[in-house]
Amino acid sequence: MQPHQSPAAPPDTARSPGAGARPLAEDIARAAEPLPEIEDAGFARHFDRFADRRVVLLGEASHGTSEFYRARAAITRRLIEEHGFAFVAVEADWPDAAAVNRYVAHHAPRAEEARAFHRFPDWMWRNTVVEGFVHWLRTHNEAIADPDARAGFYGLDLYNLRDSIAGVLAYLDRVDPAAARVARERYGCLTPWQKDPAIYGRAALTQGYAACEAEVVAQLRDLLAHRLDYAAQDGESFLDAAQNARLVRSAERYYRIMYYGGAESWNLRDTHMFETLSNLLEAQGPEAKAVVWAHNSHIGDARETEMGALRGELNLGQLCRERWGSEAALIGFGTHGGTVAAASDWGGPMEVKRVRPARADSVERLCHDSGVGRFLLDHRRDPVLAEQLAESRLERFIGVIYRPESELLSHYADAALSRQFDAWVWFDETEAVTPLRAEHLRAGVPDTYPFGL
């Protein structure tokens, strides 16, 4: 999985707060609903107002902040337990999350099970908060007799090409060995690139390997054409296999176009995530409701940021609004300072880094200057303030890479907060997530299932 790389902001280092910044911070303080500690039962109750939505999307301003993960886990527990939400879908690769889903749904691990979330950035999902939430979800499901009524855990992203190919082949080996032989031939053109599909992208760009596209599309079509026969044998496994085939199709194209630059590869990725979410909701039925965990850059409506306005990028939040309108709640998260788990370069080691205090001309500084350390800002409750926060301001985006020495260029972009999100959750001071280590693992859980080391 290749999480968000923060969009660049204009190199205007001389920007300063506009007139009236202090009164606006005071308006935020008046409108903000102070939140108790995350572990307090009252914290999650503040989000009951979104329980009637089809989709509740919960963001994060970084991929390595404990408060964001803990808050999303608390809100999701309540939405599942008290309001009947069917599943949580996260910004993670489908096959990795599928291993976790089998664990929480009390299904046996598969013989070919790979270790979940073992690639960079492993701390993004292999951390103590996610581990605790996964075991809560398993315990919650244990009391539900109907397997179809158990809450699920699914991945929306498209990067784990190798394990998705393996998943399709293993499924066909079980249900249709003849089709499995055909699939192996079709996927054969991708075999040399499975360990590092980015190399396939470079080869496709220079050597004409785009012929793989026809093969992976044909394989998906054949699998879907046998939907009724295969699903009759094992519906849950068919959903998994079909989504793996969709991922292979999308990933092949993604890696082929990523070297051209521009918005196309980003748009393909977020469209794939949206289509995966839509497929999951369709499989669960017309009354199903879902929670989504992803970065603010995927959750907030791209049309209200420079992503969409200047670069032509769309995202998951935008597509959800276009499909479900007011039935989709887009909730962003932000912070002023503290620490974050991040790397300095792609593939580098995780470091605990100090987050620089928010810039004076950013929306985060307005929230900090409000003096309220932890709050929910529901834009529907104060239309006048919402109109003020509809002005474009700098907003901070930290992905798995954080470079504080070039923060304005690397991690700030213009966005209109109250149009980008339906609500905003603020934690003034935050701490880095704790990556999962051997001492955190629970007794009796197999090494590879789902969080073995």
Side-chain angles (χ1 to χ4, degrees), residues 113-283:
E113 200 84 88
R115 185 161 59 92
F117 309 125
H118 62 283
R119 295 170 297 108
F120 178 88
D122 57 356
W123 70 87
M124 183 175 164
W125 297 112
R126 294 175 62 80
N127 62 62
T128 56
V129 179
V130 173
E131 192 262 359
F133 174 77
V134 163
H135 288 287
W136 172 86
L137 194 53
R138 178 177 169 87
T139 301
H140 168 80
N141 283 335
E142 193 170 18
I144 300 173
D146 180 2
D148 293 335
R150 293 171 183 164
F153 184 98
Y154 299 102
L156 299 175
D157 225 332
L158 53 59
Y159 290 106
N160 195 341
L161 180 66
R162 180 175 59 180
D163 287 352
S164 284
I165 289 175
V168 175
L169 296 177
Y171 174 76
L172 289 175
D173 280 338
R174 293 194 300 271
V175 302
D176 191 341
R181 288 192 291 272
V182 174
R184 281 185 167 84
E185 292 179 8
R186 285 172 168 161
Y187 287 154
C189 70
L190 290 172
T191 299
W193 324 104
Q194 287 184 39
K195 289 187 177 180
D196 189 355
I199 298 176
Y200 167 74
R202 290 197 292 272
L205 186 65
T206 60
Q207 301 175 33
Y209 280 97
C212 288
E213 178 183 19
E215 300 295 337
V216 299
V217 170
Q219 183 53 48
L220 175 59
R221 286 175 178 163
D222 274 7
L223 189 68
L224 295 178
H226 290 85
R227 177 192 303 268
L228 294 179
D229 292 339
Y230 292 163
Q233 297 183 55
D234 186 343
E236 178 67 26
S237 293
F238 176 77
L239 173 66
D240 181 42
Q243 192 55 46
N244 275 317
R246 291 186 179 102
L247 188 153
V248 175
R249 176 203 59 186
S250 294
E252 185 277 332
R253 183 167 179 239
Y254 176 86
Y255 287 112
R256 185 157 40 83
I257 66 176
M258 63 183 292
Y259 286 95
Y260 289 100
E264 190 176 1
S265 60
W266 172 277
N267 291 350
L268 187 152
R269 182 185 174 204
D270 271 58
T271 299
H272 174 86
M273 289 199 283
F274 171 73
E275 289 173 349
T276 303
L277 177 62
S278 300
N279 291 334
L280 286 167
L281 284 167
E282 181 180 356

Side-chain angles (χ1 to χ4, degrees), residues 325-400:
S326 62
E327 288 190 276
L330 281 51
I331 304 174
F333 288 65
T335 187
H336 171 69
T339 59
V340 66
S344 295
D345 297 288
W346 185 258
M350 191 208 87
E351 305 169 52
V352 175
K353 298 192 171 197
R354 175 64 56 179
V355 178
R356 296 183 66 176
R359 285 179 56 88
D361 49 355
S362 68
V363 69
E364 286 86 359
R365 179 54 66 91
L366 287 172
C367 293
H368 172 71
D369 288 347
S370 75
V372 185
R374 185 172 50 249
F375 65 74
L376 168 65
L377 196 62
D378 185 339
H379 299 311
R380 300 169 302 177
R381 296 186 53 160
D382 192 329
V384 174
L385 177 60
E387 185 62 29
Q388 292 176 290
L389 293 176
E391 178 185 338
S392 186
R393 294 179 176 82
L394 287 180
E395 183 181 315
R396 182 158 55 191
F397 299 83
I398 299 173
V400 296

